[in-house]
Amino acid sequence: MALKRILLFILTIAAINVNASVLDSIRFDVRLGYALGGTVPTHIGNEIRGINSYTPGFNFTVAAEASYPLGEHWAVHSGLRFELGGMDVDSRVKNYDIEVVRGEESLKGIFMGNVRIKSAQRRISLPVQAVYRFNDKWSVRGGVFMGWLMNRRFWGWAYDGYLREGTPVGAKIEMGSEPGDRGDFDFDANMRHMQWGLDVGGDWQLHRRWGVFAELTYGLSGLFKSDFHSVQPLRPLYGTLGVIYRIK
């Protein structure tokens, strides 16, 4: 019995030492960034004829992240991020497939004119990346992310044009610019809760505590559920610039 207790004590001390060694080698930091981007079509075809205006939302990222070294140059990087993303974009379109509501009437077809889209999202995401460190100052990262949308909005209207109901040769329905004359849409309920995609970036450590980073994220899952077809497929695409504060 005494021998078992001694062995258990030795194993416990060894486990504590191993855990302490692992924790000592992990780098912890917090990050604050501002993002530009929005929800973009999977392909920009002839439907989008031009951008009338684009206004980014209050897009920022707050993150607590960590890196564990795997050797002299390589490491694995992960953490937890809170992200706000949104946009307000006004486009000129032609042969744009859309479903809208005008007054009490639901209309679906091919639209020619202008479409204004607004979106807003709050997301918690978990990145998992491989890191390559060139030296103590420069490193690059690449991997994937999983995200959960806590809040999601996607709405807008089609205006100053006309809609061919059903098909490109369907009944022509004129649309103005005022509420009641334009075609409104609200697709909040059709957005995914879960998102996943690619995440690449780079870090520059200015000195022991402070650094800067650049990040590019692209959603592979798409913004909407797979059975939703009222607008063309869209995916989130954001580029982020920010600062790093190294805790350890």
Side-chain angles (χ1 to χ4, degrees):
M1 182 67 73
L3 180 59
K4 288 182 179 180
R5 289 178 179 178
I6 293 171
L7 289 174
L8 180 60
F9 176 76
I10 293 172
L11 290 174
T12 301
I13 295 299
I16 291 173
N17 289 334
V18 169
N19 290 335
S21 176
V22 169
L23 288 174
D24 285 342
S25 61
I26 294 177
R27 295 184 180 181
F28 294 97
D29 59 59
V30 293
R31 296 168 183 249
L32 177 64
Y34 182 78
L36 284 175
T39 53
V40 299
T42 53
H43 71 282
I44 300 179
N46 294 329
E47 296 89 352
I48 308 297
R49 294 304 176 97
I51 303 297
N52 299 322
S53 66
Y54 167 77
T55 304
F58 184 51
N59 305 332
F60 75 89
T61 299
V62 178
E65 301 185 9
S67 296
Y68 178 70
L70 301 176
E72 181 181 357
H73 295 288
W74 290 96
V76 60
H77 184 90
S78 188
L80 196 63
R81 298 175 180 173
F82 175 76
E83 301 165 307
L84 286 180
M87 68 171 190
D88 182 346
V89 61
D90 195 322
S91 306
R92 299 190 310 275
V93 301
K94 184 176 181 180
N95 298 328
Y96 192 82
D97 190 7
I98 195 170
E99 183 175 351
V100 298
V101 173
R102 190 178 65 168
E104 300 296 326
E105 187 180 16
S106 179
L107 302 168
K108 184 175 182 179
I110 309 300
F111 181 72
M112 292 77 166
N114 298 280
V115 174
R116 186 169 181 179
I117 293 175
K118 296 186 176 186
S119 70
Q121 305 166 43
R122 285 188 296 174
R123 185 176 73 186
I124 291 180
S125 62
L126 176 72
V128 179
Q129 300 173 314
V131 181
Y132 183 82
R133 293 196 179 99
F134 297 99
N135 49 48
D136 290 337
K137 291 185 176 293
W138 289 97
S139 63
V140 292
R141 298 175 280 110
V144 298
F145 73 89
M146 293 287 294
W148 173 262
L149 291 180
M150 301 182 297
N151 178 271
R152 60 203 200 282
R153 293 291 317 280
F154 190 96
W155 76 104
W157 53 87
Y159 71 100
D160 286 349
Y162 63 90
L163 182 138
R164 292 285 187 179
E165 192 169 12
T167 69
V169 294
K172 184 178 180 180
I173 301 172
E174 299 286 345
M175 292 190 178
S177 58
E178 299 299 323
D181 293 329
R182 69 193 188 192
D184 295 302
F185 53 87
D186 185 337
F187 299 139
D188 298 356
N190 304 106
M191 297 176 68
R192 294 178 183 269
H193 278 290
M194 290 293 299
Q195 292 183 348
W196 60 90
L198 302 177
D199 192 358
V200 297
D203 298 345
W204 180 29
Q205 200 69 31
L206 300 174
H207 58 76
R208 190 171 66 90
R209 291 293 185 187
W210 291 96
V212 294
F213 74 94
E215 197 106 28
L216 182 67
T217 59
Y218 180 62
L220 296 177
S221 57
L223 192 68
F224 296 108
K225 299 173 183 178
S226 58
D227 59 352
F228 177 72
H229 306 293
S230 294
V231 295
Q232 65 186 118
L234 299 171
R235 292 179 178 173
L237 174 64
Y238 287 95
T240 305
L241 295 174
V243 295
I244 305 168
Y245 179 76
R246 178 165 293 170
I247 298 174
K248 174 183 170 298

